[in-house]
Amino acid sequence: MRYNNEVFVKYRIDKDSIVFWTSDINENISAAKVLNEFLYDFSKGKKIFFHGYRLPEEYLSQIVDTKVILEKSEIINDPFNIFLRLSDAKININHFDCACESMIYYFDNKVNWTDFLATSIISQPQKYIKEGILIAYFASVDQGADYWFECSKDYKENVLILLRTLTALGCRVKQVSHLSFPFN
């Protein structure tokens, strides 16, 4: 039986990365706030790219602080995808339900915006984490119902601190041996 404000978080640690998945984290306002802060803190000193799928322009400012948008790009004849280069991940996951899918990509400073737009990173982020090109990515799928974060194992302690904090806030955190990206 599920109780009000109860949030489940599953995580997996493998040889290349650490990943966690949660559903309905917005049910616990404190947990959602902690996740927003984690994503912002994690973005410091990194290049941040955002991809929104079926994100109406009028809702963009509810998800991303417009002051952190450095560049915006759209695919010609594809009104469903929007790409942003951000100065940091100052975002609000509480409004990710405005888009079908949203992703935040975290790179070191060697990767540039045009390289990002010209690669298959969007469809294969796990491959690029394994190769050391992508540091991490955060995904919101199913209109903000499911959240997924995966990063290089170099940041394992950062994620474990987040998971301990979420546990203290009442989230049910569980380590699992298998966890697959939903809708992949």
Side-chain angles (χ1 to χ4, degrees), residues 35-145:
L35 184 54
N36 279 332
E37 290 169 2
F38 170 81
L39 296 171
Y40 172 71
D41 289 341
F42 194 86
S43 73
K44 293 178 182 174
K46 298 172 186 72
K47 289 206 174 171
I48 309 301
F49 303 130
F50 174 89
H51 171 229
Y53 175 67
R54 290 190 179 262
L55 171 61
E57 185 78 30
E58 61 267 21
Y59 295 111
L60 180 61
S61 64
Q62 292 180 26
I63 294 176
V64 178
D65 181 343
T66 55
K67 293 181 223 118
V68 302
I69 298 173
L70 301 173
E71 287 184 70
K72 179 179 167 186
S73 181
E74 295 175 349
I75 299 173
I76 296 173
N77 295 324
D78 182 359
F80 300 116
N81 289 284
I82 185 169
F83 300 93
L84 305 172
R85 184 169 70 94
L86 307 175
S87 60
D88 57 54
K90 197 167 189 180
I91 54 110
N92 186 351
I93 65 166
N94 304 63
H95 295 287
F96 270 38
D97 58 345
C98 297
C100 285
E101 296 178 11
S102 301
M103 294 187 78
I104 303 168
Y105 301 89
Y106 300 80
F107 294 93
D108 66 21
N109 290 317
K110 294 181 284 188
V111 176
N112 68 46
W113 175 239
T114 53
D115 289 344
F116 168 73
L117 293 173
T119 65
S120 61
I121 289 172
I122 291 169
S123 62
Q124 300 175 327
Q126 297 93 347
K127 172 187 171 198
Y128 288 96
I129 286 177
K130 188 175 184 176
E131 293 175 3
I133 296 169
L134 181 63
I135 294 170
Y137 70 99
F138 173 76
S140 165
V141 294
D142 197 19
Q143 291 189 293

